[in-house]
Amino acid sequence: MDTPRWLDDDQQRAWRAYLRMQAQLGAALNRQLQAACNLSLADYDVLVHLTDVPDGRLRPYELQRALEWEQSRLSHHLSRMQRRGLVERQECADDGRGAFVVLTQAGREAITTAAPGHVETVRALFFDALGPEQVEALQQLTTQVLARLDAAGG
Amino acid sequence: MDTPRWLDDDQQRAWRAYLRMQAQLGAALNRQLQAACNLSLADYDVLVHLTDVPDGRLRPYELQRALEWEQSRLSHHLSRMQRRGLVERQECADDGRGAFVVLTQAGREAITTAAPGHVETVRALFFDALGPEQVEALQQLTTQVLARLDAAGG
DNA sequence: ACGGAATAGATGATGTGTCATGTAGGTTGA
DNA sequence: TCAACCTACATGACACATCATCTATTCCGT
């Protein structure tokens, strides 16, 4: 950190635009999900992962790695979703420490209802603004940054 | 929402990569700021805006518009920052409803300490992974999405 | 077989963000 | 001038995220 290189003008502009977009896009997606189905983006992600798997059932630690969430975040979040009847917890016979999270019928219905509107919103607010080359560029660029993040933080 | 167009494979990949990057980058930047200076990204943004202005003093509503935050978010956040001694609130003579937020000495020192490390981290984790064309592409692309968001949500 | 280390998970405290609502002071037009 | 309205700001309730910590179980080397 001795003599920090500042960002040049292009980087500044890009960074500010990115921060603005990131904040507004996230807020808009959250609002849509909330208004349409009373779900948060976090709920949505959990439900998607559970839906993608036979029996709609996963060990919390699997879910955690898939979501790349902190363990306690997942635990708290599952408690809230359980309280709302979207998932249940079950005992795990194989591993006495462990558990299962299972999609309830209500959870399945929630994600089924939510998905079309959510995807449509992502498309309408994001991809409809971009050409295919830009999508490709974004994919490339984010992947490079992710590699850097993985290298740095683990 | 009748027959929603799903996302194509490229869009799927780009979207997932974007979500991952967004989450991890935000978390990494927050952790760095927290570890180095006991500040959050939100604190940082508030302090930057106050630093950029003569007397380090703004009306909350000006700050709110600059940050594009919800009004109550700013109000709560200022309360927390005030409690930690980073800002103060002052009366506004001109407008009986209004107030001023002022940077304290501690606030000024915090941002001065924080800035180099933060910028360095942004560079290290983000811009060092990208070429100039990619920065340009990102800037272009985010600007287009922002235009769409503004058109949609106000 | 056992003791230490690693793993699975829950929990409480605290900071953060949103929504709904409240309050007081400005503004405007009949 | 005064009623209707708008604007600036605060607050309480609640959802969400992180950190530190705790418990229980499994794993692994000796």
Short mmCIF file of all heavy atoms in Angstrom, two decimals, chain B residues 103-125:
data_model
loop_
_atom_site.label_atom_id
_atom_site.label_comp_id
_atom_site.label_asym_id
_atom_site.label_seq_id
_atom_site.Cartn_x
_atom_site.Cartn_y
_atom_site.Cartn_z
N LEU B 103 -19.00 16.12 8.49
CA LEU B 103 -17.87 15.24 8.76
C LEU B 103 -17.18 15.68 10.05
O LEU B 103 -16.90 16.86 10.24
CB LEU B 103 -16.89 15.39 7.60
CG LEU B 103 -16.02 14.24 7.13
CD1 LEU B 103 -16.86 13.00 6.95
CD2 LEU B 103 -15.34 14.63 5.83
N THR B 104 -16.91 14.74 10.94
CA THR B 104 -16.10 15.06 12.11
C THR B 104 -14.62 14.87 11.77
O THR B 104 -14.29 14.34 10.71
CB THR B 104 -16.43 14.13 13.29
OG1 THR B 104 -16.12 12.79 12.89
CG2 THR B 104 -17.89 14.23 13.66
N GLN B 105 -13.79 15.27 12.69
CA GLN B 105 -12.36 15.04 12.49
C GLN B 105 -12.09 13.54 12.35
O GLN B 105 -11.34 13.11 11.47
CB GLN B 105 -11.57 15.61 13.67
CG GLN B 105 -10.07 15.56 13.51
CD GLN B 105 -9.62 16.23 12.21
OE1 GLN B 105 -10.22 17.20 11.75
NE2 GLN B 105 -8.55 15.70 11.59
N ALA B 106 -12.72 12.77 13.20
CA ALA B 106 -12.55 11.31 13.14
C ALA B 106 -13.01 10.77 11.78
O ALA B 106 -12.37 9.87 11.21
CB ALA B 106 -13.34 10.63 14.26
N GLY B 107 -14.09 11.32 11.28
CA GLY B 107 -14.58 10.88 9.97
C GLY B 107 -13.60 11.18 8.87
O GLY B 107 -13.33 10.35 7.99
N ARG B 108 -13.02 12.37 8.96
CA ARG B 108 -12.05 12.77 7.95
C ARG B 108 -10.81 11.88 8.01
O ARG B 108 -10.28 11.44 6.98
CB ARG B 108 -11.66 14.23 8.18
CG ARG B 108 -11.37 14.99 6.92
CD ARG B 108 -11.10 16.47 7.20
NE ARG B 108 -12.31 17.30 7.23
CZ ARG B 108 -12.95 17.72 6.15
NH1 ARG B 108 -12.54 17.37 4.95
NH2 ARG B 108 -14.03 18.47 6.25
N GLU B 109 -10.40 11.58 9.22
CA GLU B 109 -9.23 10.71 9.37
C GLU B 109 -9.53 9.30 8.87
O GLU B 109 -8.70 8.66 8.22
CB GLU B 109 -8.79 10.66 10.83
CG GLU B 109 -8.00 11.89 11.25
CD GLU B 109 -7.91 12.04 12.76
OE1 GLU B 109 -8.18 11.04 13.47
OE2 GLU B 109 -7.56 13.14 13.23
N ALA B 110 -10.74 8.84 9.15
CA ALA B 110 -11.11 7.49 8.73
C ALA B 110 -11.04 7.35 7.22
O ALA B 110 -10.44 6.40 6.69
CB ALA B 110 -12.51 7.15 9.23
N ILE B 111 -11.62 8.29 6.52
CA ILE B 111 -11.64 8.17 5.06
C ILE B 111 -10.24 8.35 4.48
O ILE B 111 -9.85 7.68 3.53
CB ILE B 111 -12.64 9.17 4.43
CG1 ILE B 111 -12.79 8.91 2.93
CG2 ILE B 111 -12.23 10.59 4.67
CD1 ILE B 111 -13.40 7.60 2.58
N THR B 112 -9.47 9.22 5.08
CA THR B 112 -8.09 9.41 4.63
C THR B 112 -7.28 8.14 4.79
O THR B 112 -6.50 7.76 3.92
CB THR B 112 -7.41 10.55 5.42
OG1 THR B 112 -8.22 11.71 5.34
CG2 THR B 112 -6.03 10.82 4.89
N THR B 113 -7.48 7.49 5.90
CA THR B 113 -6.79 6.23 6.14
C THR B 113 -7.29 5.14 5.20
O THR B 113 -6.51 4.33 4.70
CB THR B 113 -7.03 5.76 7.59
OG1 THR B 113 -6.65 6.81 8.47
CG2 THR B 113 -6.22 4.51 7.89
N ALA B 114 -8.59 5.12 4.99
CA ALA B 114 -9.20 4.01 4.27
C ALA B 114 -8.94 4.04 2.77
O ALA B 114 -8.75 3.00 2.14
CB ALA B 114 -10.70 3.98 4.54
N ALA B 115 -8.95 5.24 2.20
CA ALA B 115 -8.98 5.38 0.75
C ALA B 115 -7.87 4.63 0.02
O ALA B 115 -8.15 3.86 -0.92
CB ALA B 115 -9.01 6.85 0.36
N PRO B 116 -6.61 4.81 0.40
CA PRO B 116 -5.55 4.14 -0.38
C PRO B 116 -5.73 2.63 -0.42
O PRO B 116 -5.65 2.03 -1.50
CB PRO B 116 -4.28 4.53 0.37
CG PRO B 116 -4.61 5.78 1.10
CD PRO B 116 -6.05 5.64 1.48
N GLY B 117 -5.97 2.03 0.71
CA GLY B 117 -6.14 0.58 0.75
C GLY B 117 -7.34 0.11 -0.04
O GLY B 117 -7.30 -0.92 -0.71
N HIS B 118 -8.39 0.89 0.02
CA HIS B 118 -9.60 0.50 -0.70
C HIS B 118 -9.36 0.56 -2.21
O HIS B 118 -9.65 -0.39 -2.94
CB HIS B 118 -10.76 1.42 -0.32
CG HIS B 118 -12.01 1.14 -1.09
ND1 HIS B 118 -12.69 -0.05 -0.99
CD2 HIS B 118 -12.70 1.89 -1.98
CE1 HIS B 118 -13.75 -0.02 -1.80
NE2 HIS B 118 -13.77 1.14 -2.41
N VAL B 119 -8.83 1.66 -2.65
CA VAL B 119 -8.56 1.80 -4.08
C VAL B 119 -7.60 0.70 -4.54
O VAL B 119 -7.80 0.09 -5.60
CB VAL B 119 -7.95 3.18 -4.39
CG1 VAL B 119 -7.50 3.26 -5.84
CG2 VAL B 119 -8.96 4.27 -4.09
N GLU B 120 -6.61 0.47 -3.76
CA GLU B 120 -5.65 -0.57 -4.08
C GLU B 120 -6.34 -1.93 -4.24
O GLU B 120 -6.03 -2.70 -5.14
CB GLU B 120 -4.58 -0.65 -2.99
CG GLU B 120 -3.46 -1.63 -3.24
CD GLU B 120 -2.63 -1.28 -4.47
OE1 GLU B 120 -2.63 -0.10 -4.89
OE2 GLU B 120 -1.99 -2.19 -5.02
N THR B 121 -7.27 -2.19 -3.36
CA THR B 121 -8.00 -3.46 -3.41
C THR B 121 -8.87 -3.55 -4.66
O THR B 121 -8.93 -4.58 -5.33
CB THR B 121 -8.85 -3.65 -2.16
OG1 THR B 121 -8.03 -3.47 -1.01
CG2 THR B 121 -9.45 -5.05 -2.12
N VAL B 122 -9.55 -2.46 -4.96
CA VAL B 122 -10.37 -2.44 -6.17
C VAL B 122 -9.50 -2.72 -7.39
O VAL B 122 -9.85 -3.51 -8.26
CB VAL B 122 -11.08 -1.07 -6.35
CG1 VAL B 122 -11.71 -0.97 -7.73
CG2 VAL B 122 -12.11 -0.86 -5.26
N ARG B 123 -8.36 -2.09 -7.41
CA ARG B 123 -7.46 -2.30 -8.53
C ARG B 123 -6.96 -3.74 -8.58
O ARG B 123 -7.02 -4.41 -9.61
CB ARG B 123 -6.28 -1.34 -8.44
CG ARG B 123 -6.00 -0.60 -9.72
CD ARG B 123 -4.70 0.13 -9.70
NE ARG B 123 -3.82 -0.28 -8.62
CZ ARG B 123 -3.24 -1.47 -8.58
NH1 ARG B 123 -3.42 -2.33 -9.53
NH2 ARG B 123 -2.46 -1.75 -7.55
N ALA B 124 -6.53 -4.21 -7.43
CA ALA B 124 -5.94 -5.54 -7.38
C ALA B 124 -6.95 -6.62 -7.74
O ALA B 124 -6.63 -7.57 -8.46
CB ALA B 124 -5.36 -5.80 -5.99
N LEU B 125 -8.16 -6.49 -7.22
CA LEU B 125 -9.14 -7.56 -7.42
C LEU B 125 -9.91 -7.42 -8.71
O LEU B 125 -10.47 -8.39 -9.22
CB LEU B 125 -10.12 -7.60 -6.25
CG LEU B 125 -9.55 -7.97 -4.89
CD1 LEU B 125 -10.64 -8.00 -3.84
CD2 LEU B 125 -8.83 -9.32 -4.96
#
